[in-house]
Amino acid sequence: IGALVMSAPVLGTKAAPVRVRAFLAVGLTLIVVPLQSGAPATDVGNVYVLFQDIMSEALVGLLLGLGIMIFLSGIQLTGQILSQLGGTALAESFDPTLDSNAPVIAQLFYFLALAMFVLVGGHTMLIEAILETYVWLPPGAAQIGDSYVQSLTQILGQSFLLGVRAAAPAMTALCLATLVLGLIGRTLPQINILVVGFGVNALLTLASLFVSIGAVAWAFPEHIDAVIDQLLQAIRLAAE
């Protein structure tokens, strides 16, 4: 549970103090402990077995948290593409989630995905998922398997594909605008194409931004349930 709280979006945000996140992890643990009172106790005298059980449980929470974080971070690709093609890549600000500078449009898409995640109840789905694992997987029974890596790889590919698909209208419009402006500049050299191009590019970037935001808001909620189910399936496969 502590690994999930520290790695999952919303729950593990760096904007919240460490004490708050630790208090949340302890609170969730206190809820789970009475439900698992009948489970076999771990041999605390065997340091190796105790360490193995702790690491296996931590990896389950880390898998759920990182899987959703990877999926959300892929949405930033849409903003990165728009920033590069629209000429706004230099407009950067500090991103506390990555501890680095990122384009403003990329951060906009990330926070949009984060808002959609909260609106569809993704944070409660994560907590329900970690609690569900205790039903069919007693504490200490989790195993490390190849399904973890395969699941995270598939989620990374799905996130990348979703980001590219959301940016596809903007890529098409901005690339066609560049070709048309280049053609106009060659046929009508008396027109200051740089001045005209900046205005046209800015308007197209703004219009494409609204289209891409709508695409992300429409397609993103459909994938949340599938991603969480995929992560739970990976945990089941590793435990078999």
Side-chain angles (χ1 to χ4, degrees):
I1 293 178
L4 174 66
V5 172
M6 294 301 172
S7 61
V10 181
L11 301 177
T13 176
K14 293 183 179 180
V18 177
R19 293 182 179 179
V20 174
R21 288 180 281 168
F23 180 78
L24 177 61
V26 172
L28 291 175
T29 304
L30 292 177
I31 296 175
V32 174
V33 169
L35 301 177
Q36 300 298 320
S37 59
T42 302
D43 185 9
V44 295
N46 192 329
V47 179
Y48 175 76
V49 175
L50 180 61
F51 179 77
Q52 185 180 14
D53 291 347
I54 293 175
M55 291 303 298
S56 62
E57 292 298 316
L59 282 175
V60 170
L62 196 62
L63 175 67
L64 291 172
L66 283 181
I68 298 298
M69 182 62 74
I70 290 173
F71 185 71
L72 288 178
S73 298
I75 306 299
Q76 286 184 305
L77 178 64
T78 304
Q80 294 280 0
I81 294 174
L82 278 174
S83 298
Q84 293 292 335
L85 295 179
T88 60
L90 295 178
E92 295 183 345
S93 63
F94 181 74
D95 186 358
T97 59
L98 300 175
D99 287 333
S100 63
N101 291 334
V104 175
I105 296 180
Q107 293 191 47
L108 172 63
F109 275 92
Y110 176 76
F111 288 120
L112 170 66
L114 198 62
M116 294 298 300
F117 178 75
V118 175
L119 288 176
V120 300
H123 56 300
T124 59
M125 292 181 189
L126 276 179
I127 297 176
E128 290 176 359
I130 195 67
L131 294 178
E132 181 184 344
T133 59
Y134 289 105
V135 176
W136 43 265
L137 192 66
Q143 300 293 329
I144 303 174
D146 296 337
S147 59
Y148 286 16
V149 178
Q150 295 175 1
S151 177
L152 291 177
T153 304
Q154 293 175 0
I155 291 173
L156 179 62
Q158 295 171 7
S159 177
F160 179 83
L161 180 61
L162 179 60
V164 173
R165 289 173 59 187
M171 295 170 61
T172 304
L174 292 173
C175 288
L176 288 177
T178 301
L179 292 175
V180 171
L181 288 174
L183 180 61
I184 293 175
R186 295 288 294 179
T187 55
L188 299 173
Q190 62 270 27
I191 297 179
N192 191 342
I193 200 62
L194 290 178
V195 176
V196 176
F198 280 130
V200 172
N201 201 35
L203 290 176
L204 281 177
T205 300
L206 185 61
S208 302
L209 177 63
F210 288 117
V211 174
S212 297
I213 287 177
V216 170
W218 173 74
F220 178 78
E222 300 178 358
H223 293 78
I224 291 296
D225 289 335
V227 169
I228 294 178
D229 291 339
Q230 185 175 346
L231 293 171
L232 291 176
Q233 183 64 26
I235 297 173
R236 288 192 182 97
L237 291 175
E240 293 178 355

